[in-house]
């Protein structure tokens, strides 16, 4: 199954913006951005489909993973953590 072109381009843009290289998908900031992208997508889906409990479970898992990465980032680089948190709150990740 391939990703839609819009999502693929958005992921490449995120990697260019936050990664150290074009193939740097393991960077903490890149992963937080990917999780935020998925969380927003699933949240919009759940607004339309309130009884989709599998997606709700997936959303909780993604939120937990993002929370763990944010906790790691806060422990290691507080300045970067604060800027990422501001971007998440404004929706410009």
């Amino acid at each position: 199954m391939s990703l839609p072109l819009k999502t693929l381009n958005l992921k490449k843009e995120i990697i260019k913006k936050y990664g150290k290289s074009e193939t740097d998908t393991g960077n903490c900031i890149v992963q937080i951005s990917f999780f935020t992208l998925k969380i927003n997508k699933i949240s919009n889906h759940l607004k339309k489909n309130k009884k989709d409990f599998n997606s709700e479970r997936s959303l909780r898992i993604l939120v937990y993973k993002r929370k763990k990465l944010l906790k790691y980032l806060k422990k290691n680089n507080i300045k970067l953590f604060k800027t990422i948190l501001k971007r998440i709150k404004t929706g410009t990740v």
Side-chain angles (χ1 to χ4, degrees):
M1 186 173 118
S2 63
L3 291 172
L5 193 58
K6 182 179 177 185
T7 306
L8 196 60
N9 289 337
L10 193 57
K11 284 189 173 194
K12 285 181 181 180
E13 184 180 317
I14 288 171
I15 294 171
K16 281 183 184 178
K17 189 173 183 181
Y18 298 115
K20 294 177 184 172
S21 70
E22 301 240 348
T23 58
D24 186 18
T25 57
N27 192 340
C28 188
I29 304 163
V30 174
Q31 296 235 338
I32 290 170
S33 300
F34 284 165
F35 286 148
T36 303
L37 187 71
K38 288 180 183 178
I39 287 169
N40 292 337
K41 187 175 179 181
I42 293 174
S43 294
N44 289 333
H45 170 76
L46 284 174
K47 287 177 185 175
K48 297 173 191 166
N49 305 295
K50 297 182 189 220
K51 300 246 179 185
D52 189 354
F53 299 112
N54 289 326
S55 292
E56 188 177 335
R57 181 178 182 273
S58 298
L59 179 66
R60 278 194 233 118
I61 291 169
L62 286 172
V63 168
Y64 176 71
K65 286 181 180 182
R66 183 178 71 176
K67 184 178 176 183
K68 280 184 7 183
L69 282 173
L70 285 169
K71 185 177 177 183
Y72 168 80
L73 193 61
K74 183 178 180 182
K75 186 171 76 171
N76 291 321
N77 193 345
I78 191 76
K79 187 176 179 181
L80 188 59
F81 169 77
K82 288 180 181 179
T83 59
I84 291 294
L85 205 58
K86 284 180 188 175
R87 288 184 183 160
I88 288 174
K89 287 182 180 178
T90 59
T92 58
V93 172

